[in-house]
Every structure is written in structure tokens, then in C-alpha cells.
Amino acid sequence: YGPVYQMRYNRVWLVDQSDIENHISQFDSPGYVVPENLASYPGNGRSEFGESHLLLPFVDANDNGIYEPELGDHPKIRGDRCVTWVVNDASNGAEGRPQIETILQAYLYTEGPEELLQTLFVNAQLRNRSDRDYTDFSLGVFVDADVNWEMKNRIGCDPYSNYAYTYSPYDFNPDSWISDYGIPSNVATF
């Protein structure tokens, strides 16, 4: 988890479904250059450094387990627009951390009903990258889910379906924040 790790993984990969469709139709065309977001995508980790061989999700066109975008492989995304990144709690060098690798995808849809178009989805996959076995493991997630002013938000969850949500039934209007909550006008400027 040194400088090379930071240079390789301290970023996000934004991929649109249209990027993938274009890549699939063009990857074997003369002169085609794989876009940077697909070329640098770490489908495979560096196993010689203890990283997962299959690091980030990808479609393996020739089913050989190696991410090769020049042969038609591409990131496996959710939704129509997806940001993917990987973090590991041991990457800051602190001793005694659990060494849990987390693959995150935040994604949205660009077509469909209005409710779908106004929703941001987040998926997390956790992997134990240590040599320890964990039992009775629990995970907490902090989300500052301000959609509107805190007094106008609605939040909830359905643990049986494995999702949480937040929304505001009120229109976003910074002017009402000023009158409703006495916020100085210079605080509510955007």
C-alpha cells in the first residue's frame, strides 16, 4: 500500500453504457484507441503484491480471467452511468486494521420513470484481504443524507430487502431555508 498503490487506485472510473457499447462495436477496428477510462480500469489486481486477481468487475470476452480491453473486455457496470472505485482500510499503513477491501459502485439510470431518474444507487462488495478469519462481523455505514434541509428530509430502510433510502417531499428552495430557519442569506448561497 505504498505510492504505486496510491497512484494506481486512488481514483474513480466513470463509465457510461454508451462507452461500453462504442467499445464493443469498435475494439477490433483499425486505428481504434481504447478510451482511458476503459484502458486503465483495474479488472485484475497485481497478485504479486497480494491484490485480488479479479479486482474490479469486468466482462471477460474470451473467458480467460484477464482484463484485456484491446480484446473486447470492458468494465461490468450497473445502471447507465457508473462510478467504480476500490479502497482498503489497510492502505493508510495503520497496523492492526482488519484489511477489508471494498469495491464500490455508485450508479444511476438515464432512462425510465422520474423516480428512477432521481435516484442514486450505491453497491458495496467487501472482501477480507487479511490472513485472519472474522466471525460475528458487523458493518456500520455513515451517510449524511441531506436531500433538502435536515428538517425536511425523510429517511428509512428495509433491512430484509437490503436497502436504505432518503428523500424530501418538498421542493428545493434556498429562499425558504432563509425564512423558515432564520439562516443568514450569505450561508444559503449556491
Side-chain angles (χ1 to χ4, degrees), residues 78 83 85 103-108 119-124 162:
R78 298 168 184 267
V83 176
W85 69 103
I103 308 300
L104 294 142
Q105 288 189 320
Y107 59 99
L108 52 86
T119 303
L120 174 67
F121 297 90
V122 179
N123 179 274
N162 196 27

Side-chain angles (χ1 to χ4, degrees), residues 29-51:
S29 299
Y32 174 74
V33 176
V34 177
E36 191 280 333
N37 61 336
L38 304 184
S40 67
Y41 185 85
N44 297 113
R46 302 168 307 157
S47 54
E48 67 272 19
F49 293 101
E51 297 172 8

Side-chain angles (χ1 to χ4, degrees), residues 163-182:
Y163 71 86
Y165 59 88
T166 184
Y167 70 95
S168 176
Y170 303 99
D171 288 336
F172 175 76
N173 183 351
D175 293 334
S176 71
W177 292 8
I178 295 167
S179 62
D180 292 352
Y181 302 104

